[in-house]
């Protein structure tokens, strides 16, 4: 007993064609399989329902019957919006199996439901999100270590990592969740990788310029960093922002989300790196 997401049919087995007019419903159990075989011998019916009726010619057994129902599940969507729908279907099937067991209907008490490939997508989305979050944690740890080695200054490394964390939190929390009202789904988990790269770029350049300055006080070091790399950072942010704007005209949803992530990240990264 397999339930999948499909548009509903008017009837699964039209009585006028499934059974002879001289037979009454319900059928005698001994008559059911022969009548089912006769029905499947009709080529048009076999083409239409052959996949839904699991009859074995070699053993003469009815292995399964598949019923199709429509559902509110509309893939692709984030797992947070689809897991509840899948859970409802699973609870429904469990209740049917329990009822069949209580009535002693052994053989039809082991039903299960599936949406085929669409049913697997939420699990795929969860795996991608988990990988993205693990990647975020790993990147921050590695960035802190590399900054310490490159700059030799723990305070600069801490400030730079905090700046990057602020950029990522602002884009994901304020931009993606609050402004765009997007759940953390497949497209978002993929673009997070790009987000991390853009978030680090300007901050690390300015941090390096600050440490390479020959001056001894913070104000002169900051002025030196802004003089030597501030213009380059501004130009880089401007050109990247312009290139991201072209993606807003695309049709595919992924590229539209990518466009927002690029422009929001570049803008936020520039503001954080220059002022924070």
């Amino acid at each position: 007993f397999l339930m999948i997401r499909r548009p509903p049919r008017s009837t699964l087995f039209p009585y006028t064609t499934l059974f002879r007019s001289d037979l009454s419903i319900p059928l005698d159990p001994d008559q059911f399989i022969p009548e089912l075989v006769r029905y499947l011998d009709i080529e048009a019916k076999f083409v239409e329902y052959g996949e839904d009726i699991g009859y074995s010619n070699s053993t003469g057994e009815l292995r399964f019957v598949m019923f199709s129902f429509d559902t509110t599940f509309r893939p692709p969507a984030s797992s947070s919006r689809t897991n509840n729908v899948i859970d409802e279907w699973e609870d429904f099937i469990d209740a049917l199996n329990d009822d069949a067991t209580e009535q002693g209907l052994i053989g039809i008490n082991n039903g299960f439901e599936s949406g085929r490939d669409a049913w697997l997508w939420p699990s795929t989305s969860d795996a991608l999100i988990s990988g993205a979050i693990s990647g975020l944690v790993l990147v921050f740890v590695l960035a802190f270590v590399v900054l310490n080695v490159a700059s030799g200054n723990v305070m600069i490394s801490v400030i730079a990592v905090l700046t990057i964390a602020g950029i990522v939190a602002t884009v994901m929390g304020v931009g993606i969740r609050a402004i765009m009202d997007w759940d953390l789904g497949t497209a978002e988990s993929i673009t997070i990788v790009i987000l991390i790269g853009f978030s680090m770029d300007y901050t690390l350049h300015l941090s390096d310029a600050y440490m390479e300055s020959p001056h001894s006080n913070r104000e002169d070091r900051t002025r030196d960093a802004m003089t030597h790399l501030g213009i380059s950072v501004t130009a880089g942010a401007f050109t990247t922002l312009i290139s991201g704007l072209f993606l807003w005209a695309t049709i595919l949803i992924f590229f539209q989300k990518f466009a927002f992530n690029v422009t929001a990240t570049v803008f936020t990264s520039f503001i954080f790196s220059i002022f924070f």
Side-chain angles (χ1 to χ4, degrees), residues 32 51 53 66 86 116 170 189 225 234:
F32 182 76
E51 185 181 287
I53 304 174
M66 179 166 62
I86 296 177
R116 297 190 174 181
T170 301
S189 64
T234 303

Side-chain angles (χ1 to χ4, degrees), residues 61-107:
E61 294 177 322
L62 181 61
R63 302 287 182 84
F64 69 87
V65 176
M66 179 166 62
F67 296 92
S68 302
F69 296 90
D70 202 16
T71 174
T72 55
F73 181 88
R74 288 296 179 269
S78 63
S79 58
S80 61
R81 297 190 178 187
T82 55
N83 281 340
N84 290 337
V85 178
I86 296 177
D87 290 341
E88 287 287 341
W89 280 109
E90 290 179 345
D91 293 341
F92 174 66
I93 289 295
D94 290 340
L96 290 181
N97 288 334
D98 292 340
D99 289 342
T101 302
E102 291 176 1
Q103 297 179 39
L105 302 176
I106 307 303

Side-chain angles (χ1 to χ4, degrees), residues 10 37 66 151 165 198 239 274:
S10 56
V37 172
M66 179 166 62
S151 66
F198 280 129
T239 55
I274 295 295

Side-chain angles (χ1 to χ4, degrees), residues 4-5 73 75-76 86 114-124:
I4 63 174
R5 180 201 161 277
F73 181 88
I86 296 177
S114 173
R116 297 190 174 181
D117 292 341
W119 228 241
L120 301 176
W121 187 249
S123 299
T124 305

